[in-house]
Amino acid sequence: MSTTTAEPDTENLLSEAEFRERLRELPPSAKLVAKVLESDAPLSQGQLAEESLLPDRTVRYALNRLEESDLVGSRYSFKDARKQVYFLNT
């Protein structure tokens, strides 16, 4: 799991076409989590589960798949340093 302390670097961001191509290969749960992050990021794993109505375990799986594809990044929350928040690399 990649953890950064700031927002994503502009040099590591994907083009829209490349993002969509990588996302196309992922399971539906990962696509739903990406859609939730698209409209309301950064979010913690718990917030993603609440917004997507998916179980925590499914959200964790989806985030892992998204991170493996370099579609999602994470950093520690500024409000609660014990939690990580996730954002899209677009």
Side-chain angles (χ1 to χ4, degrees):
M1 185 179 316
S2 68
T3 11
T4 59
T5 55
E7 290 301 316
D9 295 331
T10 54
E11 63 194 36
N12 293 334
L13 298 180
L14 301 172
S15 70
E16 184 69 27
E18 187 176 358
F19 181 85
R20 292 174 74 69
E21 184 61 34
R22 289 184 188 185
L23 189 61
R24 186 172 284 121
E25 304 298 321
L26 297 178
S29 60
K31 293 174 184 171
L32 178 58
V33 167
K35 189 67 172 171
V36 170
L37 285 172
E38 184 178 64
S39 64
D40 195 21
L43 293 173
S44 69
Q45 181 180 322
Q47 290 170 318
L48 281 167
E50 188 176 307
E51 291 292 321
S52 66
L53 302 177
L54 292 171
D56 289 338
R57 184 175 179 178
T58 304
V59 170
R60 194 166 43 250
Y61 171 76
L63 286 170
N64 286 335
R65 295 296 306 268
L66 288 164
E67 284 185 326
E68 288 170 1
S69 299
D70 292 324
L71 298 177
V72 166
S74 65
R75 64 167 169 80
Y76 289 102
S77 172
F78 295 132
K79 294 180 182 177
D80 185 351
R82 298 171 295 177
K83 294 182 180 181
Q84 290 190 5
V85 291
Y86 299 88
F87 50 86
L88 295 177
N89 287 332
T90 57

